[in-house]
């Protein structure tokens, strides 16, 4: 069949933009070239805006009826993140990310990168007062190292100090697995891979960089670390949920069995999905007594996060990304507006305005107040 000139023109006007978009997408998603040798730790890079990222974000936001504020494309797959207390920025890292990416929620894009020199970004945390960003490093096996934590000025990106690992320059024994600031932002808890002596949680003075204390025992404290009761105690996942007195380092309580935990904002309750169980449970933190059991679907819960008011629990499970109303004991939202699979981090900003999730090549931010005021999804 012979095509008319008008038909050919119509096909061309459709095909050329599609081809151009495909080429731009391939080019934009190519991994960045690594500098040889790598830049020194502490360099701050400003990332220019990209119309392609804005178009891609707009496209994904319009595919759902959820109140999405931003879908921020990452240039490398991300697994972990932290949201600043004022809800303006999200820092991301991951197993193949060397530079900490700082994304602006308002601009919907990565705006800066903090260079850590070598290894990868294994953990990130903003201080509650918004002054600091701490980044924990994972390292290549053939690189001798000791600077396991970098503390940055969160506003300027200036590198303030480095914190040493517990094992000297002994390769992977300095790898960081988790970070948490105390409520007054003066103390930083750092979880490390299991040490030869079984110790892996260290407490540092943020202002001086001095190591204050090593918590015993802490062989598996690599998933979740949190200060509670105004910073008087430190809790972490291990063979259950262990609570230590910060002043002495002494363990004062052990709750439950191995599993995935989250502490409520008032420190009164623990949400837990015990290993090899599918039920999500709420425990009394002081007694360990089971307060409520939330039935799940077919899959396991992977990540848990309380809303700042303690009324809702966000969960990443095999059944999807869910929002539980704890008083009602039911799922009120099942989120589907993320363009990629969810990683190891979901969280709220301190004011409860936003809910965010790292989703591989994207960071998705929802307007949480609109989300829970909307018609619930079964």
């Amino acid at each position: 069949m012979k095509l008319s000139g008008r038909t050919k023109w119509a096909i061309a006007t459709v095909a050329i933009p599609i081809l151009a978009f495909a080429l731009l997408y391939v080019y934009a998603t190519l991994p960045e070239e690594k500098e040889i040798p790598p830049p020194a730790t502490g360099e701050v890079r400003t990332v220019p805006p990209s119309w392609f990222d804005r178009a891609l974000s707009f496209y994904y936001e319009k595919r759902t009826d959820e109140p999405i504020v931003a879908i921020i494309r990452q240039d490398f797959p991300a697994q972990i993140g932290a949201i600043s207390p004022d809800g303006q920025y999200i820092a991301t890292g991951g197993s193949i990310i060397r530079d900490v990416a700082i994304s602006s929620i308002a601009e919907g894009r990565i705006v800066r990168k903090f260079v850590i020199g070598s290894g990868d970004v294994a953990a990130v945390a903003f201080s509650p007062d918004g002054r600091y960003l701490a980044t924990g490093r994972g390292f290549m096996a053939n690189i001798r190292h000791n600077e396991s934590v970098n503390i940055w000025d969160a506003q300027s990106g200036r590198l303030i100090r480095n914190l040493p690992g517990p094992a000297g320059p002994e390769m992977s024994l300095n790898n960081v697995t988790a970070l948490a600031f105390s409520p007054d932002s003066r103390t930083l808890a750092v979880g490390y891979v299991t040490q030869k002596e079984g110790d892996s949680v260290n407490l540092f003075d943020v202002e001086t960089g001095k190591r204050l204390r090593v918590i015993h025992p802490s062989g598996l404290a690599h998933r979740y670390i949190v200060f509670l009761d105004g910073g008087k105690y430190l809790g972490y996942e291990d063979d259950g949920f262990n609570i230590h007195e910060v002043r002495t380092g002494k363990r004062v309580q052990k709750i439950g069995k191995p599993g995935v935990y989250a502490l409520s904002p008032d420190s009164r309750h623990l949400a837990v999905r015990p290993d090899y169980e599918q039920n999500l449970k709420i425990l009394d933190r002081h007694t360990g007594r089971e307060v409520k059991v939330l039935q799940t679907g077919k899959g396991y819960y992977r990540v848990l996060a309380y809303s700042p008011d303690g009324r809702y629990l966000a969960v990443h499970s095999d059944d999807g990304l869910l929002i539980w109303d704890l008083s009602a004991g039911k799922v009120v939202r099942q989120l589907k507006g993320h363009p990629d699979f969810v990683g190891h981090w979901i969280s709220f900003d301190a004011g409860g305005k936003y809910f965010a999730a790292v989703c591989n090549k994207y960071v998705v931010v929802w307007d949480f107040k609109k989300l829970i005021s909307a018609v619930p999804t079964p």
Side-chain angles (χ1 to χ4, degrees):
M1 182 179 70
K2 187 175 181 179
L3 299 177
S4 66
R6 179 174 295 180
T7 302
K8 291 178 180 179
W9 175 253
I11 293 174
T13 56
V14 174
I16 290 174
I18 292 175
L19 180 60
F21 184 87
L23 291 173
L24 283 169
Y25 181 81
V26 171
Y27 174 77
T29 53
L30 288 174
E32 292 182 344
E33 294 183 1
K34 304 292 184 183
E35 295 87 348
I36 302 176
T41 299
E43 179 184 337
V44 180
R45 298 174 179 173
T46 300
V47 181
S50 165
W51 68 265
F52 177 82
D53 285 351
R54 291 181 182 276
L56 199 64
S57 175
F58 179 80
Y59 168 73
Y60 280 118
E61 289 171 32
K62 296 305 177 184
R63 289 182 60 184
T64 174
D65 61 352
E66 296 167 6
I68 293 176
V69 176
I71 296 181
I72 306 169
R73 191 178 71 88
Q74 306 292 291
D75 48 1
F76 286 98
Q79 291 89 39
I80 53 98
I83 188 167
S84 61
D86 60 9
Q88 294 189 42
Y89 298 98
I90 294 177
T92 51
S95 59
I96 63 171
I97 298 176
R98 190 193 64 213
D99 304 338
V100 186
I102 309 297
S103 298
S104 165
I105 293 176
E107 296 185 43
R109 66 182 184 89
I110 294 174
V111 292
R112 287 188 297 175
K113 287 191 172 183
F114 300 168
V115 177
I116 66 169
S118 63
D120 58 65
V121 184
V124 291
F126 281 98
S127 62
D129 63 7
R131 293 178 59 194
Y132 305 112
L133 173 68
T135 56
R137 298 166 71 170
F139 294 84
M140 302 291 289
N142 62 343
I143 298 177
R144 299 185 70 82
H145 62 273
N146 187 253
E147 296 177 356
S148 60
V149 175
N150 302 127
I151 298 181
W152 313 78
D153 182 298
Q155 300 301 317
S156 68
R158 179 177 61 88
L159 179 63
I160 297 173
R161 66 179 46 87
N162 301 309
L163 303 180
E170 294 186 24
M171 307 300 181
S172 62
L173 290 184
N174 289 313
N175 286 7
V176 175
T177 57
L179 296 167
F181 280 94
S182 60
D184 62 7
S185 302
R186 297 174 61 183
T187 305
L188 179 67
V190 184
Y192 295 96
V193 295
T194 306
Q195 301 300 300
K196 293 178 179 179
E197 299 80 14
D199 310 320
S200 60
V201 174
N202 289 202
L203 299 179
F204 291 89
D205 184 289
V206 175
E207 288 293 335
T208 66
K210 179 183 177 182
R211 194 190 314 270
L212 301 174
R213 193 162 293 106
V214 177
I215 299 293
H216 305 270
S218 48
L220 295 176
H222 60 272
R223 292 181 291 189
Y224 178 62
I225 300 178
V226 62
F227 284 88
L228 56 154
D229 291 352
K232 184 178 180 181
Y233 299 103
L234 181 74
Y236 59 85
E237 297 172 353
D238 194 341
D239 53 345
F241 190 77
N242 291 267
I243 298 176
H244 289 248
E245 186 178 40
V246 169
R247 184 178 61 85
T248 63
K250 179 182 177 181
R251 185 168 72 174
V252 296
Q253 192 177 7
K254 176 182 175 297
I255 302 171
K257 301 176 181 179
V260 179
Y261 285 83
L263 181 73
S264 64
D266 61 8
S267 301
R268 293 179 57 192
H269 296 101
L270 279 167
V272 56
R273 190 274 296 165
D275 285 352
Y276 311 112
E277 292 188 31
Q278 291 179 308
N279 288 335
L280 181 63
K281 300 178 179 181
I282 307 298
L283 308 179
D284 183 293
R285 195 270 290 181
H286 294 283
T287 65
R289 183 176 59 86
E290 192 176 283
V291 176
K292 183 177 293 187
V293 177
L294 305 175
Q295 300 296 326
T296 182
K298 300 177 181 178
Y300 289 97
Y301 291 98
R302 306 296 180 186
V303 189
L304 313 175
Y306 270 94
S307 63
D309 61 8
R311 295 178 57 190
Y312 299 92
L313 186 71
V315 302
H316 167 224
S317 76
D318 294 345
D319 298 319
L321 193 55
L322 313 173
I323 305 293
W324 283 85
D325 182 321
L326 293 176
S327 60
K330 65 178 182 179
V331 174
V332 292
R333 295 290 299 191
Q334 182 170 2
L335 304 179
K336 300 179 180 180
H338 47 92
D340 212 335
F341 61 86
V342 180
H344 306 309
W345 178 80
I346 58 176
S347 188
F348 299 85
D349 71 297
K353 181 179 181 181
Y354 298 128
F355 171 65
V358 165
C359 303
N360 197 38
K361 289 296 289 288
Y362 303 90
V363 173
V364 184
V365 183
W366 288 265
D367 184 313
F368 185 64
K369 293 181 179 179
K370 290 182 180 179
L371 192 65
I372 58 176
S373 65
V375 178
T377 300

